[in-house]
């Protein structure tokens, strides 16, 4: 089993920054990718950013490209999401996900068997 724990959420003013952290534990040696999704109230969960752990190849949604940066520390089994120039639309619960196969592709939540509980990001204007 794999456990994922997110941290770093909070209340921030629009235009400011936050850094989210996701730490994986358990059978992490099997993981192929780790990804961030988010879900705002009344909306579906959406892909934010994902990375292939061995190659480091990283993907972003159009809505965050250029503002968010995802990095990884494989030794620490940790991924980070640096979120700059936050907007009100970025307010959501952010979830970390991971999987050994990514059967449906890195952007699709159905690909992920392992999920964290989420960390809340609130953006004030």
């Amino acid at each position: 089993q794999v456990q994922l724990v997110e941290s770093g959420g909070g209340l921030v003013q629009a235009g400011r920054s936050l850094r989210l952290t996701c730490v994986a534990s358990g059978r992490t040696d099997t993981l192929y990718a780790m990804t961030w999704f988010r879900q705002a109230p009344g909306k579906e969960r959406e892909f934010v950013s994902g990375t292939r752990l061995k190659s480091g190849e990283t993907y972003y949604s159009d809505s965050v490209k250029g503002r968010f940066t995802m990095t990884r520390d494989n030794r620490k089994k940790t991924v980070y999401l640096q979120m700059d120039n936050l907007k009100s639309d970025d307010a959501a619960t952010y979830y970390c996900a991971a999987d050994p196969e990514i059967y449906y592709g890195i952007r699709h939540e159905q690909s992920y068997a392992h999920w964290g509980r989420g960390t809340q990001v609130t953006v004030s204007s």
Side-chain angles (χ1 to χ4, degrees), residues 1-5 22-35 51-55 72-74 76-79 96-102 111-115:
Q1 282 292 344
V2 173
Q3 295 78 41
L4 303 172
V5 178
C22 174
V23 180
S25 61
R27 296 189 61 182
T28 59
D29 56 313
T30 64
L31 297 178
Y32 176 75
M34 292 179 71
T35 297
T51 189
R52 301 182 192 273
L53 293 173
K54 287 189 177 179
S55 69
R72 78 199 195 286
D73 184 332
N74 285 347
K76 293 183 179 179
K77 311 299 183 184
T78 300
V79 294
C96 180
D99 199 87
E101 294 184 348
I102 315 298
S111 292
Y112 299 89
H114 307 292
W115 292 84

Side-chain angles (χ1 to χ4, degrees), residues 54-70:
K54 287 189 177 179
S55 69
E57 201 169 359
T58 304
Y59 307 85
Y60 298 95
S61 67
D62 289 342
S63 61
V64 307
K65 196 176 297 182
R67 298 188 298 120
F68 289 12
T69 304
M70 184 175 182

